[in-house]
Amino acid sequence: MQIENRTFDEIRVGDTSELKRLITVDDLLVFANVSGNHNPLHIFDADGDGDGENEAIAPGLFVGALISAVLGNVLPGAGTRYHAQSFQFHARAHAGDELLSRVTVTARNDDTRIVTLATEVTRLSDDALILSGVAEVEAPRIKLHYDSRDLPGLIVQRHRHFERLLKQAEPLPPLVTAVVCPEEPKSLGGALLAARHTLITPILVGAPDRIMAAADSIGADLSGVEILPEANHDAAARSAVALIRQGKAQALMKGHLHTDLLLRATLDRDAGLRAGRRLTHVFVMDVPGLAHPLLVSDAAINIAPDLKTKVDIVQNAIDLARSIGIEDPKVGVLSAVETVNPDMPSSIDAALLSKMAERGQITGGLVDGPLAMDNAVDLAAARTKGINSPVAGRAEVLVVPDIDAGNMLAKQLTYISHAEAAGLVLGARVPIILNSRADNDMSRLASCAVAALHHARAGGA
């Protein structure tokens, strides 16, 4: 935005300027953090007055700040200094309202260079007066030009994609889920939280004394929750798998046991849950600032997948992306380079996967590779490299060369880019919810939501 000020000598009584602003939920979150005013009346997902509805009212001084935007940007503009401001509030503005902020010069003092302006904010949809008042400012003497695009940008750490997935999943019938060894507070608490959100109906499989101790530590009431007693982890995993085979449960959820034990029971040739594809893990990641969820696979199960395994990795990830609402997923198969290098096996595999998708051996999405990380997710980087592809710069699914790359990518996104990660294992008869011990409540909830949506897409609901 180019800003040009109006000096005191240029200003006349009757001059007026205005700016429009659509109030967003993120605006109110930024204001809460910057001002320190955390009144829940202003937070989009909070009931601030106990009436059962979320208000998302714009704080009065946020609306007032829209007046300062006109004064600082337009009239008088750059170099303006506030002396006084009065406000009278006539109505409330909410997230989603588009407001018009207007200032009008009513007086000017040649001795002090003080300009007096009438100020008002109205709502465009109904012309309602939100705020009125009077400003006194010292107008600038020197003509200035400024490009506000030089200002650093802000990214709000709000996980809007997971919020959307929760809203999509909560109306579905709860997914009956065998929770294996929820014997410590986080794994038990995550399952119970998902139950409160009507995402799952948990069957707790494990040692009752340890489950009850975990419940006591978080103050949870297990009345009405089914517990299937099993003394050790191996037996608990096998009993949970048996519940699936018997049609008594529709999903598995990892609790406080080693992943290997759960997968061993799942992969048992006679009593397991094999379904024809390799088991593969998919992270569904909500990265702040990214316009869509980002899927990363495989970062948890297949250590050094061969081409045949990568076909299943890609197909499972495409199927999951479609389940969460990405109808035509764009899959970037990663390597260190974007051209085929015979000395770099990952680049050869990527090219083969791309050609297999082109020939219909992988279906449901667009697959391109090899792509380096930058030109997979950044359109400008793809254009700089001269890559003309519907996937390059727009990838919604990233397929990594091996578990090292996938694990590092997922954890970098989580711990440096502040992403939330939901984890699911696909390729078995039912979705397997696989959370890390370090995962927070949102990650656990989102994993259950993704499992419920995938189950519903597969025709299980």
Side-chain angles (χ1 to χ4, degrees):
M1 178 178 177
Q2 289 287 342
I3 295 174
E4 178 182 338
N5 67 357
R6 297 169 70 176
T7 66
F8 180 82
D9 292 336
E10 295 174 318
I11 295 172
R12 298 290 180 266
V13 172
D15 287 351
T16 185
S17 287
E18 60 189 32
L19 291 174
K20 294 178 183 178
R21 176 65 175 264
L22 174 66
I23 304 176
T24 68
V25 165
D26 285 355
D27 288 335
L28 304 190
L29 292 176
V30 169
F31 189 83
N33 279 278
V34 172
S35 68
N37 176 7
H38 297 170
N39 182 348
L41 278 171
H42 311 310
I43 308 302
F44 74 100
D45 60 351
D47 175 9
D49 57 9
D51 66 354
E53 295 186 6
N54 301 340
E55 288 78 20
I57 296 172
L61 288 186
F62 172 85
V63 179
L66 302 182
I67 294 295
S68 72
V70 185
L71 296 172
N73 291 337
V74 188
L75 179 64
T80 299
R81 300 184 185 186
Y82 247 133
H83 275 233
Q85 175 77 63
S86 66
F87 288 136
Q88 182 175 356
F89 296 94
H90 305 275
R92 299 297 179 192
H94 297 76
D97 287 344
E98 187 174 13
L99 303 183
L100 179 71
S101 308
R102 180 185 292 115
V103 303
T104 303
V105 177
T106 58
R108 41 173 280 157
N109 187 313
D110 292 333
D111 296 328
T112 62
R113 289 189 299 111
I114 297 295
V115 177
T116 304
L117 305 99
T119 61
E120 67 174 24
V121 177
T122 57
R123 184 167 46 229
L124 285 173
S125 63
D126 58 2
D127 204 31
L129 181 63
I130 305 297
L131 168 156
S132 64
V134 175
E136 294 181 3
V137 301
E138 182 181 337
R141 289 177 295 178
I142 301 171
K143 196 72 173 176
L144 294 172
H145 300 269
Y146 180 71
D147 189 346
S148 65
R149 288 177 297 184
D150 294 335
L151 285 174
L154 295 176
I155 295 177
V156 177
Q157 291 182 31
R158 170 193 166 201
H159 299 287
R160 67 186 72 242
H161 304 307
F162 280 1
E163 292 162 9
R164 178 182 60 80
L165 292 178
L166 289 175
K167 286 182 179 179
Q168 283 180 245
E170 284 179 353
L172 297 173
L175 195 62
V176 181
T177 302
V179 186
V180 190
C181 302
E183 298 168 353
E184 54 82 44
K186 277 195 172 182
S187 58
L188 177 62
L192 297 179
L193 181 63
R196 288 198 295 274
H197 281 259
T198 69
L199 298 171
I200 69 170
T201 298
I203 301 174
L204 310 181
V205 186
D209 56 340
R210 292 195 288 269
I211 293 172
M212 293 304 299
D216 289 342
S217 71
I218 59 175
D221 181 6
L222 296 184
S223 300
V225 179
E226 183 178 353
I227 299 176
L228 181 61
E230 288 292 354
N232 65 71
H233 289 181
D234 183 61
R238 294 184 182 281
S239 291
V241 168
L243 289 174
I244 303 293
R245 292 178 64 90
Q246 295 161 11
K248 297 178 179 178
Q250 302 160 307
L252 287 178
M253 184 174 185
K254 176 179 176 286
H256 192 58
L257 79 164
H258 288 296
T259 301
D260 288 351
L261 283 177
L262 182 60
L263 296 183
R264 188 182 306 153
T266 303
L267 291 170
D268 185 284
R269 291 193 177 276
D270 298 320
L273 301 175
R274 291 174 180 265
R277 288 188 196 162
R278 287 291 296 264
L279 294 194
T280 69
H281 181 270
V282 183
F283 275 121
V284 179
M285 309 205 74
D286 191 333
V287 185
L290 197 61
H292 54 79
L294 185 67
L295 282 66
V296 177
S297 189
D298 182 330
I301 293 182
N302 293 285
I303 297 172
D306 58 14
L307 180 63
K308 186 177 179 181
T309 301
K310 286 181 180 179
V311 171
D312 285 348
I313 289 172
V314 173
Q315 190 65 67
N316 284 342
I318 288 173
D319 292 349
L320 185 60
R322 290 169 62 86
S323 293
I324 64 172
I326 305 173
E327 288 301 328
D328 195 17
K330 293 177 280 293
V331 181
V333 187
L334 298 182
S335 183
V337 294
E338 61 279 347
T339 55
V340 176
N341 182 338
D343 295 324
M344 195 173 291
S346 63
S347 73
I348 298 173
D349 283 353
L352 290 170
L353 291 166
S354 179
K355 180 57 69 173
M356 292 173 77
E358 187 180 307
R359 296 291 171 84
Q361 293 172 271
I362 298 170
T363 61
L366 301 172
V367 181
D368 194 15
L371 293 172
M373 181 67 185
D374 58 346
N375 46 60
V377 298
D378 185 86
L379 197 55
R383 287 172 175 165
T384 298
K385 295 289 182 71
I387 304 172
N388 184 18
S389 157
V391 174
R394 306 177 180 89
E396 295 146 331
V397 178
L398 298 177
V399 173
V400 297
D402 54 36
I403 199 170
D404 287 334
N407 188 271
M408 285 185 273
L409 173 58
K411 288 184 177 176
Q412 179 271 326
L413 290 170
T414 300
Y415 290 100
I416 297 178
S417 300
H418 307 288
E420 298 277 6
L424 212 63
V425 175
L426 302 175
R429 294 187 190 179
V430 298
I432 302 172
I433 301 163
L434 198 65
N435 286 112
S436 164
R437 285 171 291 180
D439 284 345
N440 62 21
D441 285 347
M442 177 55 86
S443 290
R444 294 173 188 274
L445 270 180
S447 296
C448 292
V450 170
L453 290 168
H454 187 62
H455 177 74
R457 175 86 182 206

